[in-house]
Amino acid sequence: MRALTTTRFGPPEVLAVREGPDPVPGPGQVCIRVQRAGLNFADVSARVGLYPDAPKPPMVMGYEVSGTVLVLGEGVAGPAVGTRVLAMTRFGGQATHALADAKYVVPLPEGMDMDQAAALPVNWLTAHHMLHRVANLRPGMTLLVHMAAGGVGLAAIALARAIGGVTIFGSASASKHAVLREAGVDHPIDYRTQDYVAEVKRLTGGRGADLVLDALGGPEWARDTSVLAPMGHLICFGWANATTGESRNYLKLVAGVVTMKRWNALDLMGKNITVSGVNVGELWGETATVRATLDALMALWGEGKVRSRIDAVFPLAEGAAAHRRVHERKNVGKILFDCA
Ligand SMILES: NC(=O)c1ccc[n+]([C@@H]2O[C@H](COP(=O)([O-])OP(=O)(O)OC[C@H]3O[C@@H](n4cnc5c(N)ncnc54)[C@H](OP(=O)(O)O)[C@@H]3O)[C@@H](O)[C@H]2O)c1
C-alpha cells in the first residue's frame, strides 16, 4: 500500500508518500481499497502538532474514505467483498488501503459517487449532530455559522435549509459570499471588514442569534456569547485560531488559552444561555448515536438534501499542496485525495 505520511510535525513539506505492507483487518474490521479520502482541517492541525487526538509521527491521517471492500476480518458478516462503501476511519484513511470498524462501513446508495461518499462522514456528521442532537434547531430560529464556506459550514447551512424557516447568518471572506448565498445563507458577513456581533444584532432587531456554531475559538467565544439571543445556544467545536503558522508556536498557544472565555454557571443561568462542546472524534464508542446520525444522513441523501461541494481532488503525492490550500483558506467546500 501507499500512504500519505506525516513524517514529523512541521510545514506541509513534512508530508511524504510511503510504501508499506497492505494492512490486515483484525476482528470486527474491514480492509477497504480506497478510491477517495477526505482531508479535514484537523489533519492540518495534526501535521502542525496541534491536534492532541492524533497519533505521533510518523502517522497517516484520514477520518473518512470511499472505496470497495477488499477483505473482511474475523466475525464480520458484511458488507461483502467488492461492495462500494463509505467508511469512517480513526486515522489511516489517506492511503490506498485502509482499515475501518465494520460498524462504521456503509454501502453506497444508488447514485452516490466516490467523491460524494468520501466527503460525507466528517462534515455532515458533525453538522447534523450539532443541529439535531446537541441543539434543537427549529423553524423560526436564527443561526450564525462561522467558517461558513468550509466543509462543516456548508453542511450545516444545507441541513438548516432542510429544516426550513431558519434565518441563516454566515461569516466568511467576501470572495465566498456568492457561494454562501447560493447555499441558502440569508446574510453573509465578511468578518474581515464587518463586526459580526453588531451585524447580527442589527439584522435581528437587537435580539441576537438562537444558535451559534463556532470552531474558531480563542477570543471569538466571548464575542459569540455576547451575540446570543435569550435562550440562545453556543456550540464550540474547534479552535482553528490556534493553527495559524505552519509550525507549532507555544507562545501563541499559551496566549490563546489565557485569553479564552471561561463561563460561569451563574452567568449562564442569569442570561438563560447554553454553551456546549462537540468533538465527534471522541464519540467513537457511541455507536448507536453515530450510526443513527449516519443513517439519517443517508436518508437525507435519498431526498437530495445532502450534497457536498467538492473544492478539489489531489493525488496523494500532492499532499503538501492540498494542505496548503486548506491552511491558506483557499478551499470552498471539501478537499479529497485520489487514492485509486
Ligand atoms: N469538533 C468536531 O467534531 C469537528 C469536526 C469537524 C471539523 N471541526 C472543526 O471545524 C472547523 C472547520 O472545519 P472544516 O473542515 O469545515 O474547514 P475548512 O473546510 O477547511 O474551512 C475552513 C474555512 O474557514 C474560514 N476561516 C475563518 N477563520 C479561520 C481560521 N482562523 N483558520 C482557518 N480557517 C478560517 C476560511 O474561510 P474564509 O476565507 O471565509 O476565512 C477557511 O477556508 C475546524 O476548526 C475543524 O477542526 C470540528
Side-chain angles (χ1 to χ4, degrees), residues 126 147 150-152 172-173 176 191 215-216 237 241 278 280 329 331:
T126 306
M147 309 175 89
V152 178
S173 300
K176 301 176 181 174
Y191 67 94
L216 293 163
F237 70 108
N241 278 330
V278 163
V280 290
R329 308 186 189 181
N331 62 308

Side-chain angles (χ1 to χ4, degrees), residues 106-126:
V106 183
L108 300 193
E110 191 75 28
M112 186 184 278
D113 65 23
M114 291 288 174
D115 285 8
Q116 288 292 321
L120 188 141
V122 173
N123 290 340
W124 292 86
L125 193 95
T126 306

Side-chain angles (χ1 to χ4, degrees), residues 194-251:
Q194 289 173 295
D195 175 352
Y196 64 82
V197 176
E199 269 305 281
V200 172
K201 287 264 171 99
R202 183 180 71 77
L203 291 161
T204 55
R207 188 169 184 277
D210 293 308
L211 178 62
V212 179
L213 308 182
D214 190 317
L216 293 163
E220 303 313 324
W221 287 337
R223 305 186 67 220
D224 291 327
T225 306
S226 72
V227 82
L228 286 180
M231 298 168 286
H233 191 163
L234 164 63
I235 303 181
C236 306
F237 70 108
W239 185 15
N241 278 330
T243 309
T244 45
E246 290 201 337
S247 303
R248 192 162 44 181
N249 180 331
Y250 283 111
L251 264 182

Side-chain angles (χ1 to χ4, degrees), residues 87-105:
M88 292 169 56
T89 48
R90 192 141 161 77
F91 313 111
Q94 290 160 9
T96 55
H97 299 66
L99 297 179
D101 288 348
K103 61 187 182 182
Y104 294 139
V105 177

